[in-house]
Amino acid sequence: MDKLKNMGNYVSSKTQGASSQASKETNKSIAKDSHAPVGTRIQAAGDALGDKMDQHGHEVITNSSIYLLSE
């Protein structure tokens, strides 16, 4: 039963990590856009940092799920 739960956690974290990465890349593009207003660029840069932190958190959970599945 624990392996099933760990597999579900793995799939969920992997999906959420990919979503955070896509959001981060979009926000980075907006932050680099010289045609966007300064406030928008600053907000996008902050959002990209938050997305990177989310992505890293999901990677940690994914790695721990892989470890637990291998036991």
Side-chain angles (χ1 to χ4, degrees):
M1 189 64 164
D2 284 338
K3 283 198 178 218
L4 187 59
K5 180 181 173 186
N6 290 334
M7 186 164 296
N9 288 341
Y10 170 80
V11 171
S12 176
S13 277
K14 194 75 169 169
T15 303
Q16 291 173 352
S19 175
S20 292
Q21 181 177 4
S23 179
K24 178 190 75 173
E25 293 301 324
T26 300
N27 283 317
K28 277 177 45 179
S29 294
I30 293 168
K32 292 179 181 180
D33 183 2
S34 62
H35 298 295
V38 173
T40 301
R41 294 176 70 186
I42 292 170
Q43 181 67 45
D47 290 346
L49 287 172
D51 290 336
K52 179 62 179 174
M53 291 181 356
D54 288 345
Q55 179 186 1
H56 180 70
H58 292 300
E59 288 171 356
V60 169
I61 293 169
T62 299
N63 291 339
S64 66
S65 294
I66 289 172
Y67 174 77
L68 292 172
L69 286 170
S70 68
E71 290 185 334

